[in-house]
């Protein structure tokens, strides 16, 4: 493989990569969480309980996790840009098809397949960016991609709520599926081909070994666990906050409660701000600060006043996407080889945390109330913070350096790069 010059800022290639990856993130998350604000509609349409209706969301994330596990072994044998393009178009077709599901089990099957197909984008997106974009702007490129995720998650939820309110959930699913199909076609037509990657046959035994080495290194395992815990905390709040806002304590109407998803705009700001800062400052320090800020936002949710709930939610959202951007950057940059395996493992933990914590915290909310629920979510973030500290601290012979850069995994790096030099290059 002949390595070409990577895309630099202000070049046409960089602009195309930036814009296309933003659109891919927009499409993926608009589809993935499409049904979250429409669970009550599904209860009425299929005559099911709220607990059963939540499966419409959880099976999509389970499908995403399952797909990521498969792509951890297969992604490096497939063209990166083609895999993402096919995944975007095929998932859009499944979203359109879900609008015509005549029973709930069929809807669950379609949503599972949709999540599995969408994993084709998440499995290689960060690897594609780190291979094709110059190191001086990799933080900006990753933050823009994750901003697309943020805007997509927000737009899918808000659009789904409004359309289902004006008509029903089927028209909402159809509209979002068609819009996503258009985005997928634009992506295929415009995305620059992978210049610094050549598909290769996959040795399953070697891939298992690569994954094992990632899981045995404290830097990578730490970031995987941080992603799981932070995502679990974040999703838990957005899953169940509407129950409090619609209760007698606040009495807000459904269409007003749906606007809480507009808080995702603070997540866009969080991704962009920390993405730019990470090109100058330590991503590890920014990650720790973001997790502390998440805990601060969660504490405000204990104050049963609308102003405190809104402020806390905004801080939480800003901080979560900041933390997510930093953790994913640390993984994608430190993994000098087998990048798709590293990023697939990251997303696998990310969605596993969403599924497990999202369900567990619902049980806690039902059994023990809002305050206990919030304290449990704070505990998840606290554990994530201590893991981030443990995964980046070093001993220099006299004292522990707590806010150091994460150690570079020299066994997975190019042999001609020394860990100390690599660390300096990524500051």
């Amino acid at each position: 493989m002949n390595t070409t010059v990577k895309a630099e800022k202000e070049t046409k290639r960089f602009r195309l990569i930036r814009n296309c990856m933003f659109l891919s993130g927009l499409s993926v998350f608009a589809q993935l969480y499409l049904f979250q604000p429409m669970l009550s509609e599904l209860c009425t349409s299929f005559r099911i309980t709220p607990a059963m209706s939540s499966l419409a969301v959880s099976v999509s994330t389970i499908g995403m996790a399952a797909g990521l596990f498969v792509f951890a072994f297969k992604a490096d044998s497939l063209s990166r840009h083609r895999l993402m393009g096919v995944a975007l178009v095929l998932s859009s077709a499944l979203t359109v098809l879900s609008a015509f599901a005549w029973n709930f089990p069929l809807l669950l099957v379609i949503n599972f397949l949709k999540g599995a197909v969408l994993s084709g984008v998440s499995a290689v997106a960060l690897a594609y960016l780190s291979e094709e974009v110059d190191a001086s702007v990799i933080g900006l490129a990753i933050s823009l991609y994750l901003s697309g995720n943020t805007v997509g998650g927000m737009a899918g939820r808000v659009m789904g709520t409004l359309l289902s309110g004006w008509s029903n959930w089927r028209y909402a699913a159809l509209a979002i599926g068609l819009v996503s199909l258009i985005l997928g076609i634009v992506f295929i037509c415009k995305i620059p081909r992978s210049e610094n990657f050549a598909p290769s046959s996959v040795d399953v035994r070697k891939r298992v070994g690569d994954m094992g080495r990632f899981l045995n290194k404290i830097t990578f395992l730490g970031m995987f666990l941080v992603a799981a815990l932070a995502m679990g905390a974040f999703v838990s709040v957005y899953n169940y906050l509407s129950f409090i806002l619609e209760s007698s304590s606040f009495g807000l109407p459904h269409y007003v409660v749906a606007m809480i998803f507009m808080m995702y705009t603070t997540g866009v700001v969080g991704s962009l701000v920390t993405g730019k800062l990470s090109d100058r400052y330590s991503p590890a320090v920014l990650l720790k600060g973001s997790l502390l800020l998440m805990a601060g936002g969660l504490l405000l949710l204990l104050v049963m006043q609308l102003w405190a709930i809104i402020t806390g939610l905004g801080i939480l959202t800003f901080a979560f996407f900041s933390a997510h951007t930093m953790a994913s950057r640390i993984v994608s940059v430190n993994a000098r080889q087998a990048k798709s395996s590293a990023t697939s493992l990251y997303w696998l933990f990310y969605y596993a945390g969403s599924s497990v914590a999202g369900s567990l915290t619902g049980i806690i909310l039902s059994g023990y109330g809002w305050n206990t629920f919030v304290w449990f979510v704070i505990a998840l973030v606290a554990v994530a913070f201590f893991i981030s500290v443990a995964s980046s601290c070093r001993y220099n012979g006299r004292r522990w350096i707590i806010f150091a850069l994460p150690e570079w995994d020299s066994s997975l790096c190019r042999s001609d790069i020394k860990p100390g030099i690599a660390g300096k290059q990524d500051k």
Side-chain angles (χ1 to χ4, degrees):
M1 178 183 67
N2 295 322
T3 302
T4 61
V5 177
K6 294 187 177 184
E8 298 179 347
K9 192 175 183 180
E10 306 302 334
T11 63
K12 180 180 179 181
R13 179 175 170 79
F14 176 77
R15 289 194 297 271
L16 285 174
I17 292 174
R18 175 196 66 191
N19 295 339
C20 287
M21 295 308 295
F22 178 85
L23 291 180
S24 72
L26 190 70
S27 177
V28 168
F29 280 80
Q31 296 181 76
L32 189 63
Y33 292 103
L34 163 64
F35 289 101
Q36 190 177 51
M38 300 187 293
L39 299 183
S40 60
E41 293 277 343
L42 297 181
C43 290
T44 302
S45 180
F46 295 113
R47 297 182 180 181
I48 56 178
T49 65
M52 289 183 63
S53 70
S54 67
L55 293 175
V57 178
S58 62
V59 296
S60 294
T61 56
I62 292 171
M64 174 73 85
L68 287 170
F69 182 78
V70 173
F71 281 117
F73 295 93
K74 294 294 185 181
D76 283 343
S77 64
L78 303 169
S79 169
R80 300 227 196 273
H81 65 284
R82 290 177 182 171
L83 173 60
M84 290 187 288
V86 170
L88 290 173
V89 171
L90 184 55
S91 64
S92 301
L94 288 168
T95 299
V96 170
L97 184 62
S98 69
F100 302 96
W102 57 83
N103 59 48
F104 191 61
L106 178 60
L107 179 64
L108 295 183
V109 171
I110 294 173
N111 282 356
F112 176 84
L113 293 174
K114 177 180 68 178
V117 170
L118 285 171
S119 68
V121 179
S122 297
V124 299
L126 294 178
Y128 173 84
L129 287 173
S130 62
E131 291 164 354
E132 305 301 326
V133 174
D134 187 75
S136 63
V137 288
I138 185 63
L140 174 60
I142 290 176
S143 66
L144 286 169
Y145 165 66
L146 297 179
S147 294
N149 295 351
T150 308
V151 174
M154 177 186 70
R157 289 167 170 93
V158 174
M159 183 178 174
T161 303
L162 296 178
L163 288 176
S164 63
W166 291 333
S167 52
N168 60 55
W169 68 268
R170 296 183 185 277
Y171 287 101
L174 179 62
I176 292 176
L178 292 175
V179 171
S180 297
L181 180 61
I182 294 172
L183 294 179
I185 293 173
V186 172
F187 180 92
I188 288 176
C189 294
K190 296 295 185 179
I191 185 69
R193 66 189 302 270
S194 303
E195 297 289 350
N196 296 309
F197 167 78
S200 58
S201 59
V202 178
D203 185 331
V204 175
R205 182 175 298 180
K206 179 179 182 300
R207 184 52 49 85
V208 171
D210 289 338
M211 294 174 68
R213 283 194 293 274
F214 285 128
L215 292 173
N216 283 328
K217 294 294 181 178
I218 189 172
T219 295
F220 291 104
L221 180 59
M223 293 305 100
F224 298 156
L225 293 174
V226 165
L229 292 166
M231 179 58 169
F234 177 74
V235 165
S236 295
V237 171
Y238 271 94
N239 275 354
Y240 304 112
L241 182 61
S242 61
F243 290 94
I244 296 298
L245 296 179
E246 291 177 349
S247 70
S248 58
S249 299
F250 295 97
L252 298 179
H254 180 69
Y255 62 87
V256 173
V257 173
M259 293 300 105
I260 65 173
F261 294 116
M262 295 297 291
M263 278 295 178
Y264 270 54
T265 55
T266 64
V268 175
V269 177
S271 291
L272 292 175
V273 169
T274 53
K276 290 182 179 180
L277 288 175
S278 68
D279 288 327
R280 299 177 57 191
Y281 304 105
S282 165
V285 173
L286 294 173
L287 172 62
K288 296 178 182 71
S290 298
L291 292 171
L292 289 175
L293 194 59
M294 280 186 71
L298 287 167
L299 285 171
L300 282 173
L301 300 184
L302 294 168
V303 181
M304 294 300 286
Q305 299 290 330
L306 190 58
W307 68 266
I309 296 289
I310 293 174
T311 303
L313 190 64
I315 294 173
L316 171 68
T317 306
F318 175 95
F320 166 71
F321 281 100
S322 298
H324 176 34
T325 302
M326 291 303 93
S328 59
R329 173 185 173 129
I330 290 170
V331 169
S332 63
V333 172
N334 279 12
R336 293 302 179 109
Q337 294 179 6
K339 285 181 181 291
S340 61
S341 292
T343 55
S344 291
L345 281 171
Y346 178 88
W347 289 113
L348 178 60
F349 275 78
Y350 182 86
Y351 289 112
S354 172
S355 301
V356 174
S359 299
L360 178 60
T361 52
I363 296 172
I364 292 173
L365 177 64
S366 299
Y368 301 97
W370 178 253
N371 284 352
T372 303
F373 163 82
V374 173
W375 281 115
F376 183 82
V377 174
I378 291 173
L380 294 179
V381 175
V383 173
F385 173 80
F386 286 114
I387 290 174
S388 72
V389 171
S391 65
S392 62
C393 62
R394 296 179 187 171
Y395 188 66
N396 68 358
R398 291 177 296 176
R399 63 187 179 88
W400 287 97
I401 302 175
I402 301 300
F403 287 93
L405 279 168
E407 64 174 315
W408 284 77
D409 182 3
S410 58
S411 67
L412 295 174
C413 294
R414 297 194 306 268
S415 59
D416 61 332
I417 297 179
K418 297 181 179 179
I421 298 175
K424 292 178 182 178
Q425 288 176 339
D426 187 47
K427 276 193 176 183

